[in-house]
Amino acid sequence: QVQLVESGGGFVQPGESLTLSCSASGILLEDYAVGWFRQAPGKEREGVAMVTSSDGARWYSNAVKGRFTISRDNTGGTVSLQMNGLQPEDTANYYCAADNSYIQLRTGDINDVDYWGKGTLVNVSS
């Protein structure tokens, strides 16, 4: 059984940083493109950062570009999301997703993504 597990969420004040981590069991995460998505209350799930399986191409949404960094440790089998300069509008549940196809992850229907984690909450508030 495949499981993606996110960790690292929490409560922070505006301007602070958090690092989220995604690990997997049942698959080798290094074989998959991985993305971080988020969903705020009452809003649709949106992609924020993605990376290819080869640790090559990266993509960031305009909302987080310059503040968030996605990286993968294929030795350790994890994908991290470093989030700097957090703002209240970044408050959401953050989900890790993995797919055989970077293109599918990047542009496809989120309902067709191979694997999802259950999410970790990031709450930014003063």
Side-chain angles (χ1 to χ4, degrees):
Q1 184 178 359
V2 176
Q3 282 190 318
L4 300 185
V5 178
E6 303 94 339
S7 62
F11 291 78
V12 296
Q13 294 188 337
E16 293 186 339
S17 299
L18 278 176
T19 300
L20 306 182
S21 183
C22 175
S23 61
S25 60
I27 59 171
L28 291 176
L29 204 56
E30 65 196 69
D31 293 338
Y32 290 79
V34 176
W36 286 96
F37 293 71
R38 68 186 182 186
Q39 187 166 19
K43 294 189 176 181
E44 292 187 353
R45 193 170 296 191
E46 62 174 358
V48 296
M50 298 175 194
V51 62
T52 60
S53 59
S54 62
D55 200 18
R58 285 171 169 78
W59 171 87
Y60 299 94
S61 71
N62 288 334
V64 308
K65 195 175 296 182
R67 299 187 298 124
F68 291 12
T69 302
I70 189 170
S71 60
R72 58 189 314 152
D73 175 1
N74 283 341
T75 300
T78 60
V79 176
S80 299
L81 184 68
Q82 172 70 40
M83 306 184 295
N84 297 327
L86 285 162
Q87 299 299 319
E89 52 266 34
D90 295 314
T91 294
N93 277 303
Y94 282 72
Y95 299 88
C96 176
D99 199 284
N100 269 309
S101 166
Y102 176 74
I103 298 299
Q104 159 62 35
L105 194 65
R106 170 73 180 83
T107 64
D109 189 326
I110 62 171
N111 294 311
D112 295 331
V113 170
D114 288 340
Y115 305 110
W116 286 97
K118 293 184 178 181
T120 185
L121 177 64
V122 173
N123 191 311
V124 186
S125 174
S126 56

Coordinates of all heavy atoms in Angstrom, one line a residue, residues 3-9 20-23 35-37 45 79 94-97 116-121:
Q3 N 1.8 5.1 0.6 CA 1.4 6.2 1.5 C 2.4 7.3 1.3 O 3.6 7.1 1.3 CB 1.4 5.7 2.9 CG 0.2 5.0 3.4 CD 0.1 4.8 4.9 OE1 1.2 4.5 5.5 NE2 -1.0 4.9 5.5
L4 N 1.9 8.5 1.2 CA 2.7 9.7 1.2 C 2.4 10.4 2.6 O 1.2 10.5 2.9 CB 2.4 10.7 0.1 CG 2.6 10.2 -1.3 CD1 2.4 11.3 -2.3 CD2 4.0 9.6 -1.5
V5 N 3.4 10.8 3.3 CA 3.3 11.4 4.6 C 3.9 12.8 4.6 O 5.2 12.9 4.3 CB 3.8 10.5 5.7 CG1 3.6 11.2 7.0 CG2 3.1 9.1 5.7
E6 N 3.2 13.8 4.9 CA 3.7 15.1 5.1 C 4.0 15.4 6.5 O 3.3 14.9 7.4 CB 2.7 16.2 4.6 CG 2.3 16.0 3.1 CD 1.0 15.2 3.0 OE1 0.6 14.5 3.9 OE2 0.3 15.4 2.0
S7 N 5.0 16.2 6.8 CA 5.3 16.7 8.1 C 5.9 18.1 8.1 O 6.3 18.5 7.0 CB 6.3 15.7 8.8 OG 7.5 15.7 8.1
G8 N 5.9 18.7 9.2 CA 6.5 20.0 9.3 C 5.5 21.2 9.4 O 6.0 22.4 9.6
G9 N 4.3 21.0 9.3 CA 3.3 22.1 9.4 C 3.3 22.6 10.8 O 3.8 22.0 11.8
L20 N 8.4 22.0 5.1 CA 7.6 20.8 5.0 C 8.4 19.7 4.4 O 9.2 19.9 3.5 CB 6.3 21.1 4.2 CG 5.4 22.2 4.6 CD1 4.2 22.3 3.7 CD2 5.0 22.1 6.0
S21 N 8.1 18.5 4.8 CA 8.8 17.3 4.2 C 7.8 16.3 3.8 O 6.7 16.1 4.5 CB 9.7 16.7 5.3 OG 10.5 15.7 4.7
C22 N 8.1 15.6 2.7 CA 7.2 14.5 2.2 C 8.0 13.3 2.1 O 9.1 13.3 1.5 CB 6.6 14.9 0.9 SG 5.6 13.6 0.0
S23 N 7.5 12.2 2.7 CA 8.2 10.9 2.5 C 7.2 9.9 2.0 O 6.0 10.1 2.1 CB 8.8 10.4 3.9 OG 7.8 10.3 4.8
G35 N 4.9 17.1 -6.3 CA 4.4 18.4 -6.1 C 3.9 18.7 -4.8 O 3.4 17.8 -4.1
W36 N 3.9 20.0 -4.4 CA 3.2 20.5 -3.2 C 2.0 21.3 -3.7 O 2.1 22.2 -4.5 CB 4.1 21.3 -2.4 CG 5.1 20.5 -1.6 CD1 6.4 20.3 -2.0 CD2 4.9 19.9 -0.4 NE1 7.0 19.5 -1.1 CE2 6.1 19.2 0.0 CE3 3.9 19.7 0.5 CZ2 6.3 18.5 1.1 CZ3 4.0 19.0 1.7 CH2 5.2 18.4 2.0
F37 N 0.9 20.9 -3.1 CA -0.4 21.6 -3.3 C -0.9 22.2 -2.0 O -0.5 21.7 -0.9 CB -1.4 20.7 -3.9 CG -1.1 20.2 -5.3 CD1 -0.1 19.3 -5.5 CD2 -1.9 20.6 -6.4 CE1 0.2 18.8 -6.8 CE2 -1.6 20.2 -7.7 CZ -0.6 19.3 -7.9
R45 N -8.1 23.3 -4.4 CA -6.7 22.9 -4.2 C -5.9 23.5 -5.4 O -6.3 23.4 -6.5 CB -6.6 21.4 -4.2 CG -5.3 20.9 -3.7 CD -5.3 19.4 -3.5 NE -6.2 19.0 -2.4 CZ -6.3 17.8 -1.9 NH1 -5.5 16.9 -2.3 NH2 -7.1 17.6 -0.9
V79 N 11.1 14.8 -0.2 CA 11.0 16.1 -1.0 C 10.5 17.1 0.0 O 9.5 16.9 0.8 CB 10.0 15.9 -2.1 CG1 9.8 17.3 -2.8 CG2 10.4 14.9 -3.1
Y94 N -1.5 21.8 3.4 CA -0.5 21.5 2.3 C -0.4 20.0 2.1 O -0.2 19.2 3.0 CB 0.9 22.1 2.7 CG 0.9 23.6 2.5 CD1 0.2 24.4 3.4 CD2 1.6 24.2 1.5 CE1 0.2 25.8 3.2 CE2 1.7 25.5 1.3 CZ 1.0 26.4 2.2 OH 1.0 27.7 2.0
Y95 N -0.5 19.6 0.8 CA -0.5 18.2 0.4 C 0.7 17.9 -0.5 O 1.0 18.7 -1.4 CB -1.8 17.9 -0.4 CG -3.0 18.1 0.4 CD1 -3.7 19.3 0.5 CD2 -3.6 17.1 1.2 CE1 -4.8 19.5 1.2 CE2 -4.8 17.2 1.9 CZ -5.4 18.5 1.9 OH -6.5 18.7 2.6
C96 N 1.3 16.8 -0.3 CA 2.3 16.2 -1.2 C 1.6 15.3 -2.2 O 0.7 14.6 -1.8 CB 3.3 15.5 -0.3 SG 4.6 14.6 -1.3
A97 N 2.1 15.4 -3.4 CA 1.5 14.5 -4.5 C 2.6 14.0 -5.3 O 3.6 14.6 -5.5 CB 0.5 15.3 -5.4
W116 N -1.6 10.9 -3.3 CA -1.7 12.0 -2.4 C -1.4 11.7 -1.0 O -1.7 10.6 -0.5 CB -3.1 12.6 -2.5 CG -3.5 13.3 -3.8 CD1 -4.2 12.7 -4.8 CD2 -3.2 14.6 -4.1 NE1 -4.3 13.7 -5.8 CE2 -3.8 14.8 -5.4 CE3 -2.6 15.7 -3.5 CZ2 -3.7 16.1 -6.0 CZ3 -2.6 16.9 -4.1 CH2 -3.1 17.1 -5.4
G117 N -0.8 12.7 -0.3 CA -0.7 12.5 1.1 C -2.0 13.1 1.8 O -2.9 13.6 1.0
K118 N -2.1 13.0 3.1 CA -3.3 13.5 3.8 C -3.2 14.9 4.2 O -4.2 15.5 4.7 CB -3.5 12.6 5.0 CG -3.9 11.2 4.6 CD -4.3 10.3 5.8 CE -4.7 8.9 5.4 NZ -5.0 8.1 6.5
G119 N -2.0 15.5 4.0 CA -1.9 16.9 4.3 C -1.4 17.3 5.7 O -1.4 16.5 6.6
T120 N -0.8 18.5 5.7 CA -0.3 19.1 7.0 C -0.8 20.5 7.0 O -0.7 21.2 6.0 CB 1.2 18.9 7.1 OG1 1.6 19.4 8.4 CG2 2.0 19.6 6.1
L121 N -1.2 21.0 8.2 CA -1.7 22.3 8.3 C -0.6 23.4 8.5 O 0.2 23.2 9.4 CB -2.8 22.4 9.4 CG -3.4 23.8 9.7 CD1 -4.2 24.3 8.5 CD2 -4.2 23.7 11.0

